[in-house]
PDB file of all heavy atoms in Angstrom:
ATOM      1  N   LEU A   1     -29.098 -46.146   0.279  1.00 98.00           N
ATOM      2  CA  LEU A   1     -29.664 -45.658   1.539  1.00 98.00           C
ATOM      3  C   LEU A   1     -29.092 -44.272   1.827  1.00 98.00           C
ATOM      4  O   LEU A   1     -27.932 -43.997   1.531  1.00 98.00           O
ATOM      5  CB  LEU A   1     -29.345 -46.615   2.686  1.00 98.00           C
ATOM      6  CG  LEU A   1     -29.907 -48.032   2.547  1.00 98.00           C
ATOM      7  CD1 LEU A   1     -29.426 -48.918   3.690  1.00 98.00           C
ATOM      8  CD2 LEU A   1     -31.430 -47.999   2.498  1.00 98.00           C
ATOM      9  N   LYS A   2     -29.907 -43.407   2.410  1.00 98.00           N
ATOM     10  CA  LYS A   2     -29.529 -42.010   2.616  1.00 98.00           C
ATOM     11  C   LYS A   2     -29.407 -41.670   4.094  1.00 98.00           C
ATOM     12  O   LYS A   2     -30.052 -42.275   4.945  1.00 98.00           O
ATOM     13  CB  LYS A   2     -30.564 -41.077   1.973  1.00 98.00           C
ATOM     14  CG  LYS A   2     -30.792 -41.331   0.488  1.00 98.00           C
ATOM     15  CD  LYS A   2     -29.571 -41.008  -0.313  1.00 98.00           C
ATOM     16  CE  LYS A   2     -29.794 -41.235  -1.792  1.00 98.00           C
ATOM     17  NZ  LYS A   2     -28.558 -41.151  -2.544  1.00 98.00           N
ATOM     18  N   ASN A   3     -28.587 -40.674   4.387  1.00 98.00           N
ATOM     19  CA  ASN A   3     -28.420 -40.153   5.738  1.00 98.00           C
ATOM     20  C   ASN A   3     -29.576 -39.208   6.048  1.00 98.00           C
ATOM     21  O   ASN A   3     -29.461 -37.990   5.938  1.00 98.00           O
ATOM     22  CB  ASN A   3     -27.070 -39.436   5.869  1.00 98.00           C
ATOM     23  CG  ASN A   3     -25.929 -40.403   6.030  1.00 98.00           C
ATOM     24  OD1 ASN A   3     -25.689 -40.922   7.117  1.00 98.00           O
ATOM     25  ND2 ASN A   3     -25.236 -40.671   4.945  1.00 98.00           N
ATOM     26  N   VAL A   4     -30.703 -39.802   6.385  1.00 98.00           N
ATOM     27  CA  VAL A   4     -31.906 -39.051   6.731  1.00 98.00           C
ATOM     28  C   VAL A   4     -32.210 -39.270   8.202  1.00 98.00           C
ATOM     29  O   VAL A   4     -31.621 -40.138   8.860  1.00 98.00           O
ATOM     30  CB  VAL A   4     -33.117 -39.476   5.864  1.00 98.00           C
ATOM     31  CG1 VAL A   4     -32.880 -39.137   4.396  1.00 98.00           C
ATOM     32  CG2 VAL A   4     -33.418 -40.956   6.029  1.00 98.00           C
ATOM     33  N   ARG A   5     -33.140 -38.492   8.736  1.00 98.00           N
ATOM     34  CA  ARG A   5     -33.516 -38.606  10.141  1.00 98.00           C
ATOM     35  C   ARG A   5     -33.847 -40.061  10.482  1.00 98.00           C
ATOM     36  O   ARG A   5     -34.632 -40.703   9.807  1.00 98.00           O
ATOM     37  CB  ARG A   5     -34.723 -37.709  10.416  1.00 98.00           C
ATOM     38  CG  ARG A   5     -35.245 -37.817  11.835  1.00 98.00           C
ATOM     39  CD  ARG A   5     -36.342 -36.770  12.103  1.00 98.00           C
ATOM     40  NE  ARG A   5     -37.144 -37.113  13.261  1.00 98.00           N
ATOM     41  CZ  ARG A   5     -36.768 -36.949  14.528  1.00 98.00           C
ATOM     42  NH1 ARG A   5     -35.572 -36.454  14.796  1.00 98.00           N
ATOM     43  NH2 ARG A   5     -37.558 -37.282  15.528  1.00 98.00           N
ATOM     44  N   GLY A   6     -33.211 -40.559  11.529  1.00 98.00           N
ATOM     45  CA  GLY A   6     -33.461 -41.917  11.994  1.00 98.00           C
ATOM     46  C   GLY A   6     -32.585 -42.979  11.357  1.00 98.00           C
ATOM     47  O   GLY A   6     -32.605 -44.126  11.801  1.00 98.00           O
ATOM     48  N   SER A   7     -31.807 -42.623  10.351  1.00 98.00           N
ATOM     49  CA  SER A   7     -30.942 -43.632   9.737  1.00 98.00           C
ATOM     50  C   SER A   7     -29.723 -43.878  10.623  1.00 98.00           C
ATOM     51  O   SER A   7     -29.275 -43.004  11.365  1.00 98.00           O
ATOM     52  CB  SER A   7     -30.508 -43.212   8.327  1.00 98.00           C
ATOM     53  OG  SER A   7     -29.783 -42.008   8.360  1.00 98.00           O
ATOM     54  N   VAL A   8     -29.208 -45.110  10.555  1.00 98.00           N
ATOM     55  CA  VAL A   8     -28.046 -45.536  11.335  1.00 98.00           C
ATOM     56  C   VAL A   8     -26.893 -45.712  10.354  1.00 98.00           C
ATOM     57  O   VAL A   8     -27.039 -46.386   9.331  1.00 98.00           O
ATOM     58  CB  VAL A   8     -28.321 -46.868  12.074  1.00 98.00           C
ATOM     59  CG1 VAL A   8     -27.125 -47.271  12.923  1.00 98.00           C
ATOM     60  CG2 VAL A   8     -29.585 -46.764  12.914  1.00 98.00           C
ATOM     61  N   ALA A   9     -25.754 -45.080  10.649  1.00 98.00           N
ATOM     62  CA  ALA A   9     -24.622 -45.098   9.729  1.00 98.00           C
ATOM     63  C   ALA A   9     -23.324 -45.394  10.468  1.00 98.00           C
ATOM     64  O   ALA A   9     -23.230 -45.220  11.683  1.00 98.00           O
ATOM     65  CB  ALA A   9     -24.516 -43.751   9.008  1.00 98.00           C
ATOM     66  N   MET A  10     -22.336 -45.835   9.709  1.00 98.00           N
ATOM     67  CA  MET A  10     -21.017 -46.104  10.261  1.00 98.00           C
ATOM     68  C   MET A  10     -20.223 -44.811  10.368  1.00 98.00           C
ATOM     69  O   MET A  10     -20.197 -44.013   9.431  1.00 98.00           O
ATOM     70  CB  MET A  10     -20.238 -47.081   9.363  1.00 98.00           C
ATOM     71  CG  MET A  10     -20.806 -48.487   9.277  1.00 98.00           C
ATOM     72  SD  MET A  10     -21.000 -49.336  10.859  1.00 98.00           S
ATOM     73  CE  MET A  10     -19.340 -49.341  11.506  1.00 98.00           C
ATOM     74  N   ALA A  11     -19.590 -44.595  11.518  1.00 98.00           N
ATOM     75  CA  ALA A  11     -18.651 -43.489  11.679  1.00 98.00           C
ATOM     76  C   ALA A  11     -17.305 -43.953  11.136  1.00 98.00           C
ATOM     77  O   ALA A  11     -17.019 -45.150  11.114  1.00 98.00           O
ATOM     78  CB  ALA A  11     -18.538 -43.099  13.146  1.00 98.00           C
ATOM     79  N   ARG A  12     -16.510 -43.008  10.694  1.00 97.00           N
ATOM     80  CA  ARG A  12     -15.198 -43.347  10.134  1.00 97.00           C
ATOM     81  C   ARG A  12     -14.281 -42.142  10.228  1.00 97.00           C
ATOM     82  O   ARG A  12     -14.698 -41.054  10.601  1.00 97.00           O
ATOM     83  CB  ARG A  12     -15.339 -43.799   8.683  1.00 97.00           C
ATOM     84  CG  ARG A  12     -15.922 -42.729   7.755  1.00 97.00           C
ATOM     85  CD  ARG A  12     -15.858 -43.161   6.307  1.00 97.00           C
ATOM     86  NE  ARG A  12     -16.500 -42.264   5.380  1.00 97.00           N
ATOM     87  CZ  ARG A  12     -15.993 -41.114   4.940  1.00 97.00           C
ATOM     88  NH1 ARG A  12     -14.829 -40.696   5.385  1.00 97.00           N
ATOM     89  NH2 ARG A  12     -16.647 -40.372   4.066  1.00 97.00           N
ATOM     90  N   THR A  13     -13.017 -42.337   9.855  1.00 96.00           N
ATOM     91  CA  THR A  13     -12.067 -41.235   9.755  1.00 96.00           C
ATOM     92  C   THR A  13     -12.174 -40.651   8.350  1.00 96.00           C
ATOM     93  O   THR A  13     -13.117 -40.968   7.610  1.00 96.00           O
ATOM     94  CB  THR A  13     -10.628 -41.734  10.005  1.00 96.00           C
ATOM     95  OG1 THR A  13     -10.264 -42.619   8.936  1.00 96.00           O
ATOM     96  CG2 THR A  13     -10.501 -42.466  11.336  1.00 96.00           C
ATOM     97  N   ASN A  14     -11.196 -39.847   7.956  1.00 96.00           N
ATOM     98  CA  ASN A  14     -11.192 -39.304   6.588  1.00 96.00           C
ATOM     99  C   ASN A  14     -11.009 -40.384   5.535  1.00 96.00           C
ATOM    100  O   ASN A  14     -11.320 -40.172   4.372  1.00 96.00           O
ATOM    101  CB  ASN A  14     -10.113 -38.230   6.443  1.00 96.00           C
ATOM    102  CG  ASN A  14     -10.496 -36.954   7.159  1.00 96.00           C
ATOM    103  OD1 ASN A  14     -11.673 -36.652   7.331  1.00 96.00           O
ATOM    104  ND2 ASN A  14      -9.498 -36.198   7.603  1.00 96.00           N
ATOM    105  N   ASP A  15     -10.492 -41.535   5.939  1.00 97.00           N
ATOM    106  CA  ASP A  15     -10.350 -42.671   5.026  1.00 97.00           C
ATOM    107  C   ASP A  15     -11.728 -43.317   4.868  1.00 97.00           C
ATOM    108  O   ASP A  15     -12.293 -43.811   5.853  1.00 97.00           O
ATOM    109  CB  ASP A  15      -9.347 -43.674   5.599  1.00 97.00           C
ATOM    110  CG  ASP A  15      -9.197 -44.935   4.757  1.00 97.00           C
ATOM    111  OD1 ASP A  15      -9.939 -45.114   3.763  1.00 97.00           O
ATOM    112  OD2 ASP A  15      -8.337 -45.758   5.109  1.00 97.00           O
ATOM    113  N   PRO A  16     -12.300 -43.326   3.658  1.00 97.00           N
ATOM    114  CA  PRO A  16     -13.640 -43.883   3.471  1.00 97.00           C
ATOM    115  C   PRO A  16     -13.778 -45.341   3.902  1.00 97.00           C
ATOM    116  O   PRO A  16     -14.877 -45.784   4.243  1.00 97.00           O
ATOM    117  CB  PRO A  16     -13.879 -43.754   1.963  1.00 97.00           C
ATOM    118  CG  PRO A  16     -12.943 -42.692   1.514  1.00 97.00           C
ATOM    119  CD  PRO A  16     -11.746 -42.774   2.423  1.00 97.00           C
ATOM    120  N   ASP A  17     -12.678 -46.091   3.904  1.00 97.00           N
ATOM    121  CA  ASP A  17     -12.717 -47.509   4.246  1.00 97.00           C
ATOM    122  C   ASP A  17     -12.178 -47.777   5.657  1.00 97.00           C
ATOM    123  O   ASP A  17     -11.535 -48.793   5.912  1.00 97.00           O
ATOM    124  CB  ASP A  17     -11.911 -48.320   3.217  1.00 97.00           C
ATOM    125  CG  ASP A  17     -12.472 -48.198   1.816  1.00 97.00           C
ATOM    126  OD1 ASP A  17     -13.702 -48.117   1.675  1.00 97.00           O
ATOM    127  OD2 ASP A  17     -11.679 -48.181   0.858  1.00 97.00           O
ATOM    128  N   SER A  18     -12.463 -46.873   6.603  1.00 97.00           N
ATOM    129  CA  SER A  18     -11.901 -46.999   7.951  1.00 97.00           C
ATOM    130  C   SER A  18     -12.934 -47.284   9.040  1.00 97.00           C
ATOM    131  O   SER A  18     -12.588 -47.340  10.214  1.00 97.00           O
ATOM    132  CB  SER A  18     -11.144 -45.714   8.310  1.00 97.00           C
ATOM    133  OG  SER A  18     -12.046 -44.618   8.347  1.00 97.00           O
ATOM    134  N   ALA A  19     -14.213 -47.468   8.684  1.00 98.00           N
ATOM    135  CA  ALA A  19     -15.248 -47.715   9.701  1.00 98.00           C
ATOM    136  C   ALA A  19     -14.936 -49.000  10.459  1.00 98.00           C
ATOM    137  O   ALA A  19     -14.527 -50.004   9.867  1.00 98.00           O
ATOM    138  CB  ALA A  19     -16.622 -47.808   9.049  1.00 98.00           C
ATOM    139  N   MET A  20     -15.155 -48.943  11.782  1.00 98.00           N
ATOM    140  CA  MET A  20     -14.944 -50.137  12.600  1.00 98.00           C
ATOM    141  C   MET A  20     -16.137 -50.347  13.516  1.00 98.00           C
ATOM    142  O   MET A  20     -17.134 -50.896  13.092  1.00 98.00           O
ATOM    143  CB  MET A  20     -13.618 -50.056  13.343  1.00 98.00           C
ATOM    144  CG  MET A  20     -12.431 -50.119  12.366  1.00 98.00           C
ATOM    145  SD  MET A  20     -10.830 -50.277  13.106  1.00 98.00           S
ATOM    146  CE  MET A  20     -10.818 -51.946  13.669  1.00 98.00           C
ATOM    147  N   ALA A  21     -16.075 -49.886  14.762  1.00 98.00           N
ATOM    148  CA  ALA A  21     -17.152 -50.153  15.715  1.00 98.00           C
ATOM    149  C   ALA A  21     -18.065 -48.949  15.944  1.00 98.00           C
ATOM    150  O   ALA A  21     -19.203 -49.109  16.361  1.00 98.00           O
ATOM    151  CB  ALA A  21     -16.573 -50.600  17.057  1.00 98.00           C
ATOM    152  N   GLN A  22     -17.575 -47.742  15.688  1.00 98.00           N
ATOM    153  CA  GLN A  22     -18.385 -46.562  15.984  1.00 98.00           C
ATOM    154  C   GLN A  22     -19.477 -46.361  14.940  1.00 98.00           C
ATOM    155  O   GLN A  22     -19.278 -46.611  13.747  1.00 98.00           O
ATOM    156  CB  GLN A  22     -17.507 -45.320  16.072  1.00 98.00           C
ATOM    157  CG  GLN A  22     -16.593 -45.355  17.283  1.00 98.00           C
ATOM    158  CD  GLN A  22     -15.899 -44.041  17.518  1.00 98.00           C
ATOM    159  OE1 GLN A  22     -16.488 -42.978  17.325  1.00 98.00           O
ATOM    160  NE2 GLN A  22     -14.634 -44.106  17.942  1.00 98.00           N
ATOM    161  N   PHE A  23     -20.630 -45.896  15.430  1.00 98.00           N
ATOM    162  CA  PHE A  23     -21.787 -45.655  14.569  1.00 98.00           C
ATOM    163  C   PHE A  23     -22.480 -44.392  15.021  1.00 98.00           C
ATOM    164  O   PHE A  23     -22.209 -43.877  16.114  1.00 98.00           O
ATOM    165  CB  PHE A  23     -22.756 -46.843  14.621  1.00 98.00           C
ATOM    166  CG  PHE A  23     -23.415 -47.027  15.965  1.00 98.00           C
ATOM    167  CD1 PHE A  23     -24.686 -46.517  16.212  1.00 98.00           C
ATOM    168  CD2 PHE A  23     -22.766 -47.694  17.000  1.00 98.00           C
ATOM    169  CE1 PHE A  23     -25.291 -46.667  17.452  1.00 98.00           C
ATOM    170  CE2 PHE A  23     -23.369 -47.855  18.246  1.00 98.00           C
ATOM    171  CZ  PHE A  23     -24.631 -47.341  18.472  1.00 98.00           C
ATOM    172  N   PHE A  24     -23.368 -43.873  14.181  1.00 98.00           N
ATOM    173  CA  PHE A  24     -24.152 -42.720  14.582  1.00 98.00           C
ATOM    174  C   PHE A  24     -25.577 -42.852  14.066  1.00 98.00           C
ATOM    175  O   PHE A  24     -25.847 -43.589  13.117  1.00 98.00           O
ATOM    176  CB  PHE A  24     -23.509 -41.395  14.144  1.00 98.00           C
ATOM    177  CG  PHE A  24     -23.364 -41.206  12.654  1.00 98.00           C
ATOM    178  CD1 PHE A  24     -24.340 -40.537  11.917  1.00 98.00           C
ATOM    179  CD2 PHE A  24     -22.228 -41.656  11.990  1.00 98.00           C
ATOM    180  CE1 PHE A  24     -24.193 -40.332  10.550  1.00 98.00           C
ATOM    181  CE2 PHE A  24     -22.062 -41.454  10.621  1.00 98.00           C
ATOM    182  CZ  PHE A  24     -23.053 -40.789   9.897  1.00 98.00           C
ATOM    183  N   ILE A  25     -26.471 -42.131  14.749  1.00 99.00           N
ATOM    184  CA  ILE A  25     -27.872 -42.067  14.348  1.00 99.00           C
ATOM    185  C   ILE A  25     -28.138 -40.622  13.963  1.00 99.00           C
ATOM    186  O   ILE A  25     -27.900 -39.696  14.763  1.00 99.00           O
ATOM    187  CB  ILE A  25     -28.812 -42.503  15.489  1.00 99.00           C
ATOM    188  CG1 ILE A  25     -28.509 -43.945  15.916  1.00 99.00           C
ATOM    189  CG2 ILE A  25     -30.276 -42.352  15.058  1.00 99.00           C
ATOM    190  CD1 ILE A  25     -29.260 -44.407  17.166  1.00 99.00           C
ATOM    191  N   ASN A  26     -28.598 -40.416  12.740  1.00 98.00           N
ATOM    192  CA  ASN A  26     -28.919 -39.080  12.268  1.00 98.00           C
ATOM    193  C   ASN A  26     -30.174 -38.578  12.962  1.00 98.00           C
ATOM    194  O   ASN A  26     -31.216 -39.234  12.919  1.00 98.00           O
ATOM    195  CB  ASN A  26     -29.138 -39.089  10.752  1.00 98.00           C
ATOM    196  CG  ASN A  26     -27.857 -39.274   9.972  1.00 98.00           C
ATOM    197  OD1 ASN A  26     -27.043 -38.376   9.899  1.00 98.00           O
ATOM    198  ND2 ASN A  26     -27.678 -40.458   9.388  1.00 98.00           N
ATOM    199  N   SER A  27     -30.097 -37.401  13.589  1.00 98.00           N
ATOM    200  CA  SER A  27     -31.279 -36.838  14.241  1.00 98.00           C
ATOM    201  C   SER A  27     -32.055 -35.915  13.298  1.00 98.00           C
ATOM    202  O   SER A  27     -33.174 -35.519  13.607  1.00 98.00           O
ATOM    203  CB  SER A  27     -30.891 -36.098  15.523  1.00 98.00           C
ATOM    204  OG  SER A  27     -29.943 -35.101  15.261  1.00 98.00           O
TER     205      SER A  27
END
């Protein structure tokens, strides 16, 4: 899956395995 317009992704820190509750929607 790609970070394209309308996709929903996990936010994280610089650590790739750090995603928790934050998310973002690519505009």
Side-chain angles (χ1 to χ4, degrees):
L1 298 175
K2 304 294 181 190
N3 282 280
V4 296
R5 177 173 161 77
S7 61
V8 182
M10 294 304 301
R12 61 172 174 78
T13 66
N14 287 333
D15 176 355
D17 299 325
S18 63
M20 293 189 73
Q22 292 190 38
F23 67 97
F24 62 94
I25 300 172
N26 288 288
S27 56

